[in-house]
Amino acid sequence: MSAAPRPDTPPRLEPFRLRGANFNLLVLRLLDPRPEAVVPAIGDQFRRAPGFLRFAPVVLGLADLEVPPDQVDFPGLIAGLRGLEIVPIGTTGGTPEMRNAAMAYGLPPIRSAGGKESEEPAPAPTAAAPAEPPASAPPPPPQPAGAMRPTMVVDQPVRAGQRVWAQGCDLIVTATVNAGGEVIADGNIHVYGALRGRAIAGGGDNAEARIFAQNFDPELISIAGYYAVREGLAGAPIGRAVQVRLTGERMRFDPIG
Amino acid sequence: MAQVVVVTSGKGGVGKTTSSAAFATGLAQRGKKTVVIDFDVGLRNLDLIMGVERRVVFDIVNVIQGEARLNQALIRDKRVETLSILPASQTRDKDALTKEGVQKIIEELAKEFDYILCDSPAGIEKGALLALYFADQAIVVTNPEVSSVRDSDRILGVLQSRSKRAEEKRDPVKEHLLVTRFDPARVERGEMLKLEDIQEILSIPLLGVIPESESVLRASNTGTPVIMDGESNAGQAYADAVARFLGEEKPHRFLEPERKGLFKRLFGGRAA
């Protein structure tokens, strides 16, 4: 939610762009769950190669830990590593329970894309988790690689100043999107009330995405980066049930229902 | 258990302070121990509308900064025994308010009062956020006008995400819609938003509709909350709204334009 009014800079349609990228990350495979054993050992190695890991983001490998998750002192490990200027950013491997325990301390599971860590038993890919899920969150169900994420459903009105972002999935709003509200999805957007705010579908490049609205009355519509503001919608069937899609570089507005 | 009620709107000049004064007085008239806090630090209007501006010694900022005790700053109303006012400071700005300070004041007031009304300043800045932070219920004041409805929509979003109840994931703040300055004749002519349109956009329960009335300005200028003017439409509409707030069923009144008789048309005279 953006609370502050925008400064007087020229308005930009996109305050951000979402792009996939591959990173080479170091995996720190924990063989011992005790910070008092792990941290000094890293410290020793670190002293022999000063600066080697400095501020390096590392992924904690959990596959070799053979203790129950509650015996792993994640806060202690995180603090100890941070003390050595090593920044743990996530986890890989290990049991779902173990990954979940780490998630409670802000370390989400990270899926290894290339399978370079070959000796590691392939980690079950998981749905990307929010940065700080409640500690009681159930373990994310294992899914086959590349599986669809569940659609995000919003039952409350999206009010002025509110922004809903369905990351990597479709979005369904069963209430209205009010003027000044913004709904964004990497997939399709369905609004079963009036769409009076902004709807941005298809993320940056999904030109197949569509927008459906029960009562089409938007401020701005965008699919895959192509957009139209209200002024440019003079020919669109305002107030009707409408489907919006991209044909080539043109947006099409078709009445439905 | 004391109820903390914020009177808020986002937009300025829609009638927050008038409504706070009327509601506080109405609740107190019905025997509820009520205190109304002016959060508009730096501007300070509530004491004027409540007619106690000449009795202000200390204010909310003095209490927060430990320069006065809460009891020294509270002004007991002379007309309604169960009503108190905690005025704002005119010489400070809203940065003088702190979350901890406000919390301490509200906790202390909760020991004595049934209802703690927080008269929010306009905007969505610090003063307004603090006024709504501790709320159990919210009265959202809206005029039948597009920008006012938009700002109310915005403040509802803020209530749902930045109040203490929202942060602690408790039951959400109970929201009430109060439409003020409603002019049925202008609505009929299409110059103002229809009630249904406002309700459709904001989709929260309607607590009351206060008709546009000269009696409101008169009441403000004389420092008498308009609810004390039982003759006026606005005063009666506020009394109805207070009754509904306390759970009574009351039909909505003053929604249709007044049909003036020939006599009134000839000799002028406008709706009181």
Side-chain angles (χ1 to χ4, degrees):
Chain A
M1 215 164 117
S2 54
R6 288 178 194 178
D8 284 323
T9 47
R12 291 185 53 181
L13 177 64
E14 291 180 296
F16 62 84
R17 271 192 189 178
L18 196 68
R19 290 280 185 273
N22 293 311
F23 295 101
N24 266 318
L25 290 170
L26 289 167
V27 175
L28 180 68
R29 294 181 64 161
L30 296 174
L31 308 178
D32 191 324
R34 296 168 302 152
E36 61 272 26
V38 175
V39 176
I42 297 175
D44 283 343
Q45 191 162 12
F46 185 31
R47 265 189 290 280
R48 287 198 289 274
F52 174 57
L53 284 174
R54 200 151 182 250
F55 297 120
V58 299
V59 177
L60 299 185
L62 306 177
D64 299 297
L65 291 177
E66 282 167 349
V67 294
D70 56 357
Q71 287 184 25
V72 183
D73 182 5
F74 281 110
L77 283 165
I78 294 169
L81 291 173
R82 290 242 166 96
L84 297 172
E85 297 178 329
I86 298 168
V87 188
I89 58 163
T91 62
T92 181
T95 60
E97 289 76 13
M98 187 67 87
R99 288 195 295 270
N100 218 39
M103 219 150 71
Y105 297 102
L107 294 180
I110 290 175
R111 192 167 54 189
S112 152
K116 271 191 181 170
E117 249 239 299
S118 50
E119 19 165 330
E120 171 144 346
T126 53
E132 289 175 73
S136 61
Q143 288 175 357
M148 274 275 303
R149 281 185 212 169
T151 299
M152 180 175 179
V153 181
V154 175
D155 289 317
Q156 295 280 318
V158 179
R159 300 186 179 280
Q162 288 182 328
R163 173 183 284 174
V164 173
W165 178 25
Q167 196 178 352
C169 63
D170 286 2
L171 173 64
I172 295 178
V173 182
T174 60
T176 63
V177 177
N178 279 344
E182 197 167 288
V183 286
I184 308 170
D186 292 334
N188 306 303
I189 296 177
H190 307 250
V191 180
Y192 293 106
L195 170 58
R196 301 205 177 92
R198 302 166 149 230
I200 297 157
D205 43 15
N206 178 6
E208 299 300 308
R210 300 184 186 188
I211 296 169
F212 305 85
Q214 192 68 37
N215 177 352
F216 186 73
D217 189 12
E219 291 178 322
L220 177 145
I221 285 284
S222 167
I223 295 176
Y226 295 96
Y227 71 97
V229 291
R230 180 53 182 264
E231 241 181 36
L233 293 181
I238 299 295
R240 310 264 306 268
V242 167
Q243 155 175 226
V244 189
R245 62 186 144 164
L246 212 53
T247 50
E249 298 193 350
R250 289 182 59 88
M251 250 184 263
R252 270 187 60 178
F253 304 90
D254 299 315
I256 46 171
Chain B
M1 193 54 196
Q3 283 284 302
V4 181
V5 183
V6 61
V7 180
T8 185
S9 71
K11 194 172 163 64
V14 296
K16 279 183 299 295
T17 301
T18 300
S19 297
S20 299
F23 251 81
T25 308
L27 287 168
Q29 280 173 332
R30 287 164 160 266
K32 309 288 181 197
K33 288 185 199 151
T34 307
V35 57
V36 54
I37 307 176
D38 190 351
F39 273 84
D40 206 350
V41 171
L43 289 173
R44 207 188 111 184
N45 285 160
L46 182 69
D47 51 316
L48 276 171
I49 291 187
M50 298 289 293
V52 297
E53 75 277 11
R54 296 181 179 184
R55 297 170 58 201
V56 175
V57 185
F58 297 112
D59 56 60
I60 184 169
V61 174
N62 295 132
V63 178
I64 284 179
Q65 301 193 334
E67 296 153 0
R69 278 177 289 116
L70 185 55
N71 259 318
Q72 292 176 302
L74 278 183
I75 302 171
R76 311 277 167 179
D77 193 84
K78 284 184 174 163
R79 297 158 298 209
V80 191
E81 205 185 338
T82 48
L83 178 61
S84 294
I85 299 113
L86 180 58
S89 167
Q90 200 146 26
T91 53
R92 312 289 183 86
D93 60 39
K94 290 175 178 71
D95 291 333
L97 294 175
T98 62
K99 200 177 264 183
E100 297 71 32
V102 172
Q103 175 160 7
K104 244 178 104 185
I105 287 177
I106 285 181
E107 278 168 5
E108 207 171 329
L109 290 172
K111 291 179 200 154
E112 186 187 343
F113 293 95
D114 302 321
Y115 286 98
I116 301 166
L117 257 70
C118 303
D119 179 19
S120 172
I124 50 171
E125 264 48 76
K126 191 174 181 189
L129 292 179
L130 275 175
L132 66 79
Y133 186 71
F134 296 98
D136 300 305
Q137 304 196 44
I139 297 173
V140 177
V141 183
T142 303
N143 291 167
E145 182 225 332
V146 177
S147 61
S148 172
V149 173
R150 172 89 62 104
D151 289 1
S152 292
D153 195 41
R154 180 82 170 88
I155 209 82
L156 282 165
V158 173
L159 272 164
Q160 287 161 5
S161 60
R162 301 183 67 177
S163 62
K164 190 158 188 275
R165 278 178 173 267
E167 282 182 3
E168 293 173 355
K169 306 216 186 312
R170 287 189 286 148
D171 289 345
V173 177
K174 192 173 174 196
E175 298 149 342
H176 308 271
L177 175 62
L178 185 68
V179 178
T180 57
R181 310 199 66 167
F182 190 79
D183 187 334
R186 296 189 67 188
V187 172
E188 201 168 62
R189 292 199 297 269
E191 296 169 9
M192 281 183 160
L193 282 181
K194 289 204 286 277
L195 195 55
E196 304 87 79
D197 294 344
I198 303 172
Q199 279 179 279
E200 204 257 321
I201 293 171
L202 296 180
S203 50
I204 59 171
L206 181 66
L207 182 63
V209 180
I210 313 299
E212 175 79 310
S213 164
E214 289 173 4
S215 57
V216 172
L217 186 60
R218 197 165 57 230
S220 298
N221 286 336
T222 56
T224 323
V226 69
I227 200 170
M228 289 182 154
D229 182 355
E231 301 283 301
S232 76
N233 288 355
Q236 292 173 34
Y238 272 118
D240 286 358
V242 171
R244 281 184 213 111
F245 185 79
L246 294 173
E248 289 175 32
E249 293 270 339
K250 289 261 180 191
H252 290 281
R253 295 192 275 171
F254 316 116
L255 302 183
E256 300 299 325
E258 215 165 283
R259 305 288 168 204
K260 282 183 186 169
L262 181 65
F263 186 80
K264 257 195 165 175
R265 235 181 261 181
L266 285 177
F267 295 98
R270 300 162 78 176

